[in-house]
Amino acid sequence: MSRRFKALSAVALLFVLLTIIPAMIGFLVDWFWFREISYQTVFTTALTTKVELFLVAGFIAYGFLALNVRLARSGPSRVPVLWRVSPELPPVDLAASLTRVAIPVTIILAFFFALGAAGSWMELLQLIHRTPFGVTDPVFGRDIGMYVFVLPAVASLLGTLRSLVVLTLIGVIILYVLRGKISLPPQRITLLSPADHHVAGLLVGFLLLTALQIWFVRIPELLYSTTGPLVGASYTDLHARYPAMHAI
């Protein structure tokens, strides 16, 4: 027990030295600099937005991950995957062992998703305080301000949601495989209920988010295309890629 406590203490100390202390030093340096130039409001606005994004994104990510883990853990295992460490010890049920660490892993993943979302604070502030330019683009007839203020925020949101769904899908498949609800090669690939409906639902969600990303992000981004000799929508972009994106 003492060795385990020492190991955990060393890990905690290393975490503090590598993350908490550098973050606090950076925070204090930024605070003193903004205070020196009398722009504390800018600093507090950015900090407040980061904290709010962190909390909202962390709550949503944890709720989504925890719900899917709970669904994947529900019901009895069909054929549990056993791992024998040594002949003297009883076999270990990998599904049961993984289930016990599911919640801590979910919290850690939600924490990192929240950190990633907090990094998009500038896009959120630009979206909230957007101002029209009064000039429209010649292709889609939209105000230029949409491409400057709205498009980056929408791209960050949809990209984060797609990553969350993909990560959840991978974790759910692993849980179902260990619980015997999904069979993989060299055997025949089979999905038993409720694994088939669960995986299908996540795939549908991913495809829906991909469609939204194509419609709201990739199509407007044709105006930034570099396929032609200059930056902007080329003839190929407008007469080949644009119709193809609608077909998708």
Side-chain angles (χ1 to χ4, degrees), residues 21-202:
I21 293 180
M24 291 300 298
I25 293 176
F27 174 82
L28 292 176
V29 170
D30 290 341
W31 167 250
F32 288 132
W33 187 82
F34 277 99
R35 190 181 66 175
E36 184 67 23
I37 61 176
S38 301
Y39 274 91
Q40 299 95 322
T41 304
V42 176
F43 180 81
T44 55
T45 300
L47 180 62
T48 302
T49 306
K50 291 178 183 179
V51 172
E52 291 175 350
L53 273 176
F54 179 86
L55 295 176
V56 173
F59 177 79
I60 294 175
Y62 175 78
F64 185 78
L65 290 169
L67 175 62
N68 282 274
V69 169
R70 183 175 180 180
L71 292 175
R73 291 167 54 186
S74 61
S77 299
R78 179 173 176 264
V79 181
V81 178
L82 303 178
W83 178 45
R84 186 176 293 277
V85 182
S86 66
E88 295 79 12
L89 298 176
V92 178
D93 188 347
L94 292 181
S97 302
L98 189 61
T99 297
R100 286 193 289 268
V101 301
I103 297 302
V105 171
T106 300
I107 294 175
I108 294 173
L109 293 177
F111 175 79
F112 283 109
F113 266 97
L115 283 180
S120 302
W121 63 274
M122 179 62 74
E123 287 86 349
L124 178 61
L125 289 178
Q126 289 177 341
L127 176 65
I128 295 175
H129 302 287
R130 63 187 181 277
T131 302
F133 278 40
V135 179
T136 58
D137 72 87
V139 178
F140 303 113
R142 298 168 179 168
D143 189 89
I144 301 300
M146 193 280 292
Y147 300 94
V148 177
F149 302 121
V150 180
L151 187 59
V154 175
S156 297
L157 175 62
L158 293 176
T160 301
L161 292 178
R162 290 175 77 242
S163 301
L164 180 61
V165 172
V166 170
L167 183 62
T168 303
L169 179 61
I170 295 173
V172 163
I173 291 177
I174 292 174
L175 282 174
Y176 280 127
V177 169
L178 294 178
R179 302 185 71 238
K181 298 296 183 68
I182 296 180
S183 300
L184 298 177
Q187 302 176 2
R188 180 182 178 184
I189 299 178
T190 57
L191 288 83
L192 302 179
S193 182
D196 52 352
H197 296 90
H198 193 177
V199 172
L202 290 174

